[in-house]
Amino acid sequence: MADDRRYHMKFGPDAAAHVDAYFEYRKIVGEDDDGKLFTPEEYENYKKTVVTKRMKNRLFVSWTSPSGMDCKMIGPETPCFCTHRYKQHKTDFDELPSERPIMVPCRVKGCKCKSYHYVPLNGSQPIRCRCKHFADDHSEIRPYKCKKGCNCVGFKSSFTCSCGQPTFAHETLIETKEERQARGHPVGYDVPYAAMGGITGFSSLAEGYMRLDNSGIGTPDDEFLNQPIGASDHPFLRMHASTINQIEGGQRRGQITAGEVDQLSDQMSHLKRPGESDMDFYERRYQERQKEQRNRVRAPRPAIKQSQRAVKK
């Protein structure tokens, strides 16, 4: 009986290319085919009519803190307050709307959501309102009244974001490319994919306080990067703190030569030397590891005493 349930599947040499083509199709078309694949002719016509205006009129969506930091960048699969995903909302426009805020209504049949609105999760669970009911127990129409029959007139949660601000202090910001650039935030490259929202790269998937760009916490300043080594630093830095301070202090006072710097740096081969490029550093570390490995192979084995040989026999 077990043999009757076995399936032997064979794939041709072009199978991987077909899978890649399908994923490319799905990222471009999104939900516009209503679950029925376009024919090759329909697919080409779709790209000619939609992709150009999509790359020109892309909307950037983020969940922003009062300080202006984008705590969450919205992507195609990010759920809305109405429980439907961003890709299920209207994201393509022939002309960018002139009124503000920009409305991005849900396209799912029967959904009353007038515009995309992000609500965070507590781990994998929806957050609760002050009325103790979950977000999905509330109406999808502003001000998101509770549907459980309580006196709640609108969803308001005290759940705190990782930035330290409560949920109700944040704003779902929908903006054009020009408006986002005016705020000094990155926009990435123009892409033909549907409902990209605020996703511009892998760093967009991280929370705001972890992103070291203008949309997050920002690049640390020189004062932070050059602060003295303390007890909270990595053990490697604490172990070599005296040598590092000797190099930096001698360079500032002009009392240390380049040869002495190299000599001290040899004691910490894991650190870059002054003026050494990244590629030179990686090549030097690679050659050092190769040399150590060769020396271990060539090292003579310890002699076995005669008594030990007799025991083995």
Side-chain angles (χ1 to χ4, degrees), residues 55-112:
M55 297 177 68
K56 179 182 178 182
N57 299 329
R58 175 181 172 180
L59 295 177
F60 293 81
V61 188
S62 58
W63 192 57
T64 307
S65 72
S67 64
M69 180 173 69
D70 297 333
C71 295
K72 173 69 175 180
M73 305 303 299
I74 307 304
E77 302 294 337
T78 311
C80 173
F81 194 94
C82 68
T83 70
H84 299 122
R85 302 184 184 278
Y86 177 65
K87 67 181 181 181
Q88 295 174 288
H89 291 67
K90 178 178 174 60
T91 59
D92 292 329
F93 293 86
D94 294 333
E95 296 290 338
L96 288 173
S98 57
E99 65 276 3
R100 294 293 182 274
I102 300 175
M103 307 299 288
V104 182
C106 186
R107 299 184 298 169
V108 176
K109 186 177 181 180
C111 184
K112 300 178 182 179

Side-chain angles (χ1 to χ4, degrees), residues 5-296:
R5 294 194 297 268
R6 292 179 181 177
Y7 298 92
H8 299 279
M9 303 179 67
K10 296 182 179 180
F11 299 95
D14 298 331
H18 292 311
V19 173
D20 292 340
Y22 173 76
F23 279 112
E24 182 80 5
Y25 167 90
R26 187 53 61 195
K27 288 190 293 184
I28 293 177
V29 175
E31 302 286 324
D32 290 346
D33 59 0
D34 296 326
K36 183 180 179 181
L37 292 177
F38 288 150
T39 63
E41 294 77 14
E42 291 173 336
Y43 184 37
E44 292 301 322
N45 292 332
Y46 177 88
K47 290 191 290 185
K48 290 179 181 179
T49 56
V50 175
V51 169
T52 303
K53 64 181 182 183
R54 175 180 295 164
M55 297 177 68
K56 179 182 178 182
N57 299 329
R58 175 181 172 180
L59 295 177
F60 293 81
V61 188
S62 58
W63 192 57
T64 307
S65 72
S67 64
M69 180 173 69
D70 297 333
C71 295
K72 173 69 175 180
M73 305 303 299
I74 307 304
E77 302 294 337
T78 311
C80 173
F81 194 94
C82 68
T83 70
H84 299 122
R85 302 184 184 278
Y86 177 65
K87 67 181 181 181
Q88 295 174 288
H89 291 67
K90 178 178 174 60
T91 59
D92 292 329
F93 293 86
D94 294 333
E95 296 290 338
L96 288 173
S98 57
E99 65 276 3
R100 294 293 182 274
I102 300 175
M103 307 299 288
V104 182
C106 186
R107 299 184 298 169
V108 176
K109 186 177 181 180
C111 184
K112 300 178 182 179
C113 176
K114 299 295 182 63
S115 184
Y116 181 87
H117 179 71
Y118 175 73
V119 59
L121 296 175
N122 184 8
S124 61
Q125 300 296 322
I127 61 176
R128 293 181 184 269
C129 175
R130 57 186 174 183
C131 70
K132 307 305 180 184
H133 294 122
F134 290 110
D136 51 7
D137 293 327
H138 291 68
S139 171
E140 63 268 31
I141 304 176
R142 286 182 182 274
Y144 312 112
K145 295 182 179 180
C146 186
K147 298 184 292 186
K148 290 292 186 178
C150 63
N151 296 325
C152 176
V153 297
F155 182 85
K156 187 175 182 180
S157 175
S158 58
F159 180 79
T160 303
C161 173
S162 57
C163 71
Q165 296 290 335
T167 299
F168 59 81
H170 288 68
E171 174 190 9
T172 301
L173 184 61
I174 304 175
E175 56 190 345
T176 64
K177 182 178 180 179
E178 291 73 18
E179 291 170 341
R180 184 165 177 80
Q181 287 176 325
R183 289 204 299 138
H185 288 199
V187 296
Y189 299 99
D190 295 330
V191 293
Y193 304 133
M196 289 300 291
I199 303 297
T200 58
F202 282 112
S203 63
S204 302
L205 304 177
E207 296 188 45
Y209 77 97
M210 299 176 65
R211 290 196 306 273
L212 299 181
D213 59 20
N214 295 330
S215 66
I217 195 173
T219 305
D221 55 18
D222 292 338
E223 182 180 357
F224 175 82
L225 294 175
N226 296 325
Q227 61 184 331
I229 300 173
S232 60
D233 285 305
H234 193 276
F236 176 81
L237 291 177
R238 298 201 304 268
M239 179 176 61
H240 295 288
S242 60
T243 307
I244 294 174
N245 294 333
Q246 184 179 356
I247 294 175
E248 294 179 348
Q251 288 178 328
R252 285 193 297 267
R253 296 188 300 268
Q255 298 176 353
I256 187 171
T257 64
E260 292 173 333
V261 170
D262 291 341
Q263 184 178 1
L264 291 172
S265 298
D266 286 338
Q267 302 175 16
M268 306 175 300
S269 60
H270 293 279
L271 296 181
K272 286 178 60 177
R273 295 174 179 174
E276 189 175 36
S277 66
D278 290 340
M279 291 303 299
D280 292 338
F281 169 70
Y282 295 137
E283 177 64 22
R284 179 172 60 82
R285 292 292 300 130
Y286 173 75
Q287 295 297 340
E288 288 174 355
R289 288 194 296 269
Q290 292 292 99
K291 183 178 179 180
E292 291 175 1
Q293 185 177 2
R294 289 194 298 268
N295 291 338
R296 286 196 299 268

